Amino acid sequence: MRRIVLSLIICFSTLAASAKVRLPQFFSDGMVLQQQSEINLWGWAEPGKRVSITTSWDKKCHMVTARKDGLFGLKVKTPEAGGPYFIGFKDQDYVQINNVMIGEVWICSGQSNMEMQMKGFKQQPVEGTTEELLRCRDQQLRLFTVKRHASLTPEDDVTGHWDEATSASVRDFSATAYYFGRALRQTLGVPVGLIVTSWGGSACEAWMQAEWLKAFPKVQQHITEDDVKKLQQRCPTALYNGQLHPLIGYTLRGAIWYQGEDNVPRYDYYAPLMAAMVKGWRDEWKQGEFPFYYCQIAPYDYSLIEWSGSQLLREQQMKAETLIPNARMAVLMDAGLEYGIHPRKKRQAGERLAILALSNTYGVQGLPDFAVYSNIEIQGDTIVVAFDRSKEWVYFEHGPKSQNFEIAGADKVFYPAEAWVSRNRVYVRSEKVKNPVAVRYAFHDWAEGDLMHDGLPVSSFRSDDW
């Protein structure tokens, strides 16, 4: 121990006098760092000056020189989950980050249904909040919310702070993200850090670099300061610059995403757009194809805001699973709200994202999976629907039959149909369609999904492309 202390004294004594080290706000007391990784640490100091960084988990002193612009950075190795630890930064003055935990780190992004706090919006509650706030205290679940900020150019920092999970901090934190993190904590038994960067009403295009958007000619390409002020969270690139770019490099395990409502009027290219966004994030983070799990938007009567066609956006989100490596979609067909675009069932959203992460990233056995539409077979006047990932067989939530199916013949006119299940197939027929060629399930803005597999809903789907 004496040798360690002596080495740190020597390390600090060799430094030249300079200004105080400045760190991004997410490098602060209470932070969580990704376990068993080479993590990135960075900050700013006087250009050309040497900065020492001490990490208490391995009792090492690291030296780095600030560049001409004052930025310094280096990689350090983290151990297995544990803590609390401290990290010390010294130029002339000494800055120490305390209560640092090592565990699992996830970025949580999207629009209002990711942003929606446990306390809900005005007159729009989250189901189960009161009960959850009574038992949510957890010193090893750490929460960081990025303050809203749209920018024309990339920023280097965000506004926010780390909190341990308490009734006060959870109340003001994303409900979807909280339930996701709580499930990881309970199953993995390690510290979990959640960084939420979201903004209600934000467009997917807002979370992307201009370069990535060049492949989409319908997207506004020439952005001005006036555009950012006017459009804010709907302005292409504005949230990438203001709320995501500063976080890039913060070593993570993966990302969760709940967005799509704002893109309903532009549904036709959402799958490739989302794929381009994820590829861009991964390229910038330089952590390979890190896990990306996302919520399909829940059913809602979009005619209330004079929109329509959200089932086509949901279809694009289902397609995105096939375009994005190491990505999976959590279905919310049974968790919508007909008259509200902000469903109350956020526990289902967060826990279903956690099921995907625990199964696919952490290898936890025994968890259910989302069945997905595969193909149809026509048997006389009946269409037989098959599914993938359906080893436990599909079923209807509220009885032996469903009213959510429609079929059509060659005239492309759809009629309500009778539907029943046998093993892992759904059989669909209608007296009005003697020679059916296509089938649809819950393919409307609003539908109360009832097709299930192993306790999880199946996405709306169609066999046609009309």
Side-chain angles (χ1 to χ4, degrees), residues 227-284:
D227 293 326
V228 174
K229 291 178 181 178
K230 180 181 178 180
L231 299 174
Q232 292 188 302
Q233 76 274 30
R234 291 182 172 86
C235 181
T237 77
L239 301 190
Y240 169 85
N241 293 329
Q243 291 186 214
L244 190 76
H245 180 266
L247 300 171
I248 290 175
Y250 194 104
T251 309
L252 50 77
R253 175 65 70 191
I256 58 173
W257 173 255
Y258 192 163
Q259 191 277 339
E261 295 89 347
D262 185 75
N263 284 79
V264 165
R266 307 180 301 284
Y267 72 85
D268 55 316
Y269 58 93
Y270 187 81
L273 182 75
M274 185 175 165
M277 184 196 78
V278 175
K279 182 180 185 303
W281 286 20
R282 287 170 170 170
D283 288 348
E284 290 290 296

Side-chain angles (χ1 to χ4, degrees), residues 147-166:
K147 185 178 180 181
R148 290 175 169 185
H149 179 55
S151 177
L152 179 64
T153 56
E155 301 283 359
D156 63 14
D157 201 0
V158 297
T159 300
H161 53 84
W162 286 98
D163 291 302
E164 295 178 0
T166 65

Side-chain angles (χ1 to χ4, degrees), residues 283-412:
D283 288 348
E284 290 290 296
W285 244 283
K286 296 180 173 59
Q287 279 192 233
E289 292 178 344
F290 59 75
F292 189 90
Y293 304 118
Y294 61 98
C295 285
Q296 186 182 50
I297 61 172
Y300 158 67
D301 183 359
Y302 277 80
S303 69
L304 296 174
I305 57 173
E306 299 182 354
W307 287 3
S308 65
S310 61
Q311 69 272 24
L312 298 167
L313 191 285
R314 294 198 303 264
E315 182 180 58
Q316 286 282 305
Q317 290 179 311
M318 187 165 60
K319 180 181 178 181
E321 269 196 334
T322 67
L323 301 180
I324 306 172
N326 200 17
R328 287 289 304 277
M329 181 181 75
V331 179
L332 300 175
M333 288 301 299
D334 61 337
L337 189 62
E338 183 175 7
Y339 57 86
I341 201 169
H342 302 124
R344 298 170 180 172
K345 298 180 182 297
K346 291 296 185 285
R347 179 180 61 82
Q348 288 84 339
E351 290 184 353
R352 287 170 186 176
L353 289 168
I355 286 170
L356 295 174
L358 290 167
S359 297
N360 296 281
T361 297
Y362 297 106
V364 175
Q365 301 295 309
L367 295 174
D369 199 1
F370 291 94
V372 62
Y373 164 74
S374 174
N375 60 273
I376 63 170
E377 178 184 342
I378 299 174
Q379 297 181 359
D381 65 351
T382 302
I383 292 182
V384 183
V385 186
F387 302 88
D388 290 331
R389 306 198 298 251
S390 59
K391 65 179 181 179
E392 301 298 331
W393 303 354
V394 295
Y395 62 94
F396 297 132
E397 179 74 1
H398 305 299
K401 295 185 178 182
S402 171
Q403 303 301 315
N404 275 320
F405 285 83
E406 302 169 288
I407 59 174
D411 60 0
K412 302 183 181 181

Side-chain angles (χ1 to χ4, degrees), residues 127-180:
E127 186 176 274
T129 290
T130 302
E131 296 81 358
E132 193 59 39
L133 293 180
L134 292 173
R135 57 175 178 258
C136 66
R137 185 175 181 82
D138 187 344
Q139 294 181 339
Q140 295 193 44
L141 177 58
R142 306 291 177 85
L143 317 173
F144 188 102
T145 300
V146 173
K147 185 178 180 181
R148 290 175 169 185
H149 179 55
S151 177
L152 179 64
T153 56
E155 301 283 359
D156 63 14
D157 201 0
V158 297
T159 300
H161 53 84
W162 286 98
D163 291 302
E164 295 178 0
T166 65
S167 56
S169 62
V170 169
R171 178 178 174 82
D172 291 327
F173 191 70
S174 161
T176 296
Y178 165 75
Y179 280 115
F180 171 81

Side-chain angles (χ1 to χ4, degrees), residues 23-24 26-27 31 33 38-43 53-55 57 62 64 71-78 87-89 97 100 249-251:
L23 301 173
F26 40 82
F27 289 146
M31 70 189 295
L33 297 173
E38 272 200 333
I39 65 157
N40 299 304
L41 295 174
W42 69 91
I53 303 173
T54 57
T55 47
W57 55 82
H62 312 265
V64 64
L71 180 68
F72 66 85
L74 79 165
K75 293 180 179 291
V76 299
K77 292 183 178 181
T78 55
I87 308 173
F89 296 80
I97 303 174
V100 175
Y250 194 104
T251 309

